[in-house]
Amino acid sequence: MARPGTIRLLLVDNQPVVCRGLRMWLALEPDLDIVGESDECADMVPLLDLARPDIVLVDLEMTRSGGMTILAALRAAKPDLPVVVLSLHDDIETRARARLAGVAAFVAKHDVASRLLATIRTVARLHQCGGHSAGGPATTQSATNG
């Protein structure tokens, strides 16, 4: 059972070393709980009900399923579940594609160390307030700018 105030995260990345590194780093935070990992779309959808994450953290550059396929599957299965995207590509087109796919926030991989924790906490806080749905303009705007 999760501690009150804990943010439950599901990690979706097909690179085991990256996933392991994220898990180890994020597990150091007392308010974050890694509830599962998936390396492809087929495994991720059933895991959503089993793990019951508050936020899904997705690598947009998934090689097998493709990040956009993962985002579409997430939207279909759990339309209100916030998704934070990590991407190696930090350009206007990639950000626009992610926004159109309904992500709550976008973090460029070169900004992970300085922005990921704050972004996760901001998305969780906004989602808990109920004032903003996943992918809504206020959530995307506040968590991805700057």
Side-chain angles (χ1 to χ4, degrees), residues 11-19 38-41 58-67 70 109:
L11 306 179
V12 182
D13 194 312
N14 66 332
Q15 297 179 24
V17 172
V18 173
C19 207
S38 177
D39 63 356
E40 64 178 274
C41 191
V58 176
D59 180 1
L60 199 56
E61 283 81 33
M62 299 276 292
T63 53
R64 279 184 250 154
S65 301
I70 295 282
K109 286 188 176 179

Side-chain angles (χ1 to χ4, degrees), residues 3-139:
R3 297 172 309 278
T6 300
I7 302 166
R8 299 169 53 85
L9 295 171
L10 173 64
L11 306 179
V12 182
D13 194 312
N14 66 332
Q15 297 179 24
V17 172
V18 173
C19 207
R20 189 175 317 118
L22 279 171
R23 175 183 274 281
M24 289 171 57
W25 176 47
L26 296 171
L28 295 172
E29 298 298 314
D31 61 332
L32 302 181
D33 185 15
I34 310 303
V35 295
E37 296 176 19
S38 177
D39 63 356
E40 64 178 274
C41 191
D43 295 338
M44 180 207 57
V45 174
L47 196 54
L48 294 172
D49 286 326
L50 292 172
R52 296 185 343 265
D54 298 315
I55 295 175
V56 180
L57 186 61
V58 176
D59 180 1
L60 199 56
E61 283 81 33
M62 299 276 292
T63 53
R64 279 184 250 154
S65 301
M68 297 310 284
T69 301
I70 295 282
L71 294 177
L74 278 165
R75 291 283 67 88
K78 301 282 184 184
D80 294 327
L81 183 61
V83 177
V84 174
V85 164
L86 296 176
S87 179
L88 183 61
H89 304 285
D90 186 17
D91 55 81
I92 293 170
E93 182 180 322
T94 303
R95 284 180 177 264
R97 284 185 20 236
R99 195 173 305 115
L100 287 171
V103 303
F106 181 103
V107 178
K109 286 188 176 179
H110 63 82
D111 284 336
V112 163
S114 63
R115 294 201 165 174
L116 184 58
L117 294 174
T119 300
I120 289 169
R121 290 175 177 129
T122 298
V123 168
R125 187 175 60 251
L126 290 171
H127 185 70
Q128 289 170 348
C129 289
H132 306 286
S133 63
T139 307

